[in-house]
Amino acid sequence: MNVYIEQVKAILEEENMIAALSNLSAFIKQEDDGLNWAGFYFVTKTDMVLGPFQGKVACTHIPFTKGVLGSTYRSNNPQRIDNVHAIKDHIACDSASNSELCVPVYHNKQMVLIIDLDSSSFNHFTKEDEEKMLQVATCIEQAILQHSWY
Ligand code: SME
């Protein structure tokens, strides 16, 4: 886990936010064979907008009222979903996705980004994966401050 986080920090040394998050999405996906999609949604005033990602073409705008992303926003908490089909308003960008992990990233106590990971396996994401992504979120929060991304 420490080597993983060291690599995340090295990627986030890049000062351009899009370049850094693009590489970070590639890193997260390449390190876990079980992922079919890994990326970011930007929280804006009106909705959540697709950011850098690796995977199939995805929904560009997601309302706060819908999907696992919407639940993340409304609950202010990570969402680890073993079976996305059991979530009534889950948004299926890739029909191959069966489980999902969403982890929020904050700046000045405002949610600014959501890390979104999808897997084609059911029950893919463990508590340890969630904790690891919480650490990645902390690294992004530090990069936001370091590079004045907001
Ligand atoms: N499944 C998400 C939508 C984004 S895609 O997974 C890339 C949701 O239900 O909010």
Side-chain angles (χ1 to χ4, degrees):
M1 161 112 59
N2 284 338
V3 174
Y4 187 98
I5 293 301
E6 287 314 309
Q7 287 179 274
V8 167
K9 285 182 179 166
I11 287 166
L12 290 169
E13 284 297 315
E14 164 57 46
E15 64 185 1
N16 180 282
M17 179 170 67
I18 300 298
L21 295 181
S22 297
N23 266 342
L24 187 53
S25 67
F27 175 74
I28 292 169
K29 188 159 183 291
Q30 82 194 17
E31 291 299 305
D32 182 347
D33 286 341
L35 299 183
N36 61 317
W37 202 94
F40 302 94
Y41 277 84
F42 293 108
V43 177
T44 75
K45 285 200 173 80
T46 49
D47 59 7
M48 291 165 287
V49 181
L50 182 65
F53 72 96
Q54 295 276 307
K56 285 193 179 169
V57 169
C59 314
T60 51
H61 289 264
I62 294 184
F64 297 128
T65 50
K66 290 234 169 78
V68 181
L69 283 157
S71 305
T72 308
Y73 181 80
R74 295 191 309 275
S75 69
N76 227 358
N77 272 306
Q79 301 289 304
R80 186 159 51 93
I81 309 296
D82 287 337
N83 175 7
V84 293
H85 308 290
I87 306 291
K88 75 171 176 3
D89 64 354
H90 162 253
I91 301 166
C93 291
D94 181 347
S95 60
S97 298
N98 285 317
S99 59
E100 182 159 0
L101 175 64
C102 287
V103 174
V105 176
Y106 297 90
H107 178 61
N108 288 341
K109 302 202 166 99
Q110 297 287 318
M111 197 184 296
V112 289
L113 267 181
I114 297 176
I115 304 168
D116 184 20
L117 309 182
D118 287 349
S119 174
S120 58
S121 306
F122 291 98
N123 310 299
H124 177 72
F125 299 103
T126 62
K127 187 73 193 158
E128 194 181 68
D129 289 326
E130 183 177 331
E131 281 160 10
K132 188 159 75 173
M133 285 307 132
L134 283 166
Q135 281 191 267
V136 172
T138 301
C139 294
I140 298 171
E141 287 162 3
Q142 286 163 356
I144 289 171
L145 293 172
Q146 181 189 346
H147 303 303
S148 306
W149 284 342
Y150 283 92

